[in-house]
Amino acid sequence: MLLRSVDELDVRHRVEELHNAISEKPFFTESHQPIHITASFSFLSTSKPLDDFDELYSILDQALYQAKQNGRDCIVDAYNDPISLPKTAYVSVHL
């Protein structure tokens, strides 16, 4: 999701609102059984132009992997939060 015209300081708040909306919404299976849905988010807030989509995608993907390492159902700021991934998290591409 791309947020435009949002102050950098407000981005985390917007992501938290979305995170809470998902976790608080009641969901039901086809047989009407309640299920609890959670989500992990990563975000990068910057006012600088981002020209390389692949680089941005990689950074956010690593932050989401960190969210899984943190126990899921969390938010990781890809710019400010520490990202410490094991070497197995990186896939080597051989050309």
Side-chain angles (χ1 to χ4, degrees):
M1 173 186 318
L2 176 64
L3 300 176
R4 293 180 180 237
S5 303
V6 176
D7 188 277
E8 284 182 64
L9 299 174
D10 292 333
V11 171
R12 182 183 250 318
H13 178 70
R14 296 279 182 99
V15 172
E16 287 172 348
E17 286 179 333
L18 182 58
H19 182 256
N20 291 336
I22 290 170
S23 66
E24 293 171 0
K25 179 163 178 52
F27 291 93
F28 299 91
T29 65
E30 288 181 7
S31 61
H32 306 287
Q33 297 296 316
I35 57 174
H36 184 71
I37 303 288
T38 63
S40 292
F41 290 86
S42 65
F43 71 94
L44 181 78
S45 176
T46 182
S47 59
K48 298 176 185 169
L50 299 168
D51 298 327
D52 189 344
F53 177 80
D54 291 334
E55 183 179 359
L56 174 62
Y57 183 86
S58 176
I59 291 167
L60 292 170
D61 187 52
Q62 291 173 44
L64 277 174
Y65 191 88
Q66 183 66 50
K68 288 180 184 179
Q69 296 294 103
N70 292 350
R72 300 181 178 170
D73 192 29
C74 64
I75 299 170
V76 174
D77 179 339
Y79 186 76
N80 292 309
D81 292 342
I83 308 292
S84 21
L85 302 175
K87 289 182 182 181
T88 57
Y90 299 97
V91 176
S92 337
V93 176
H94 300 286
L95 300 175

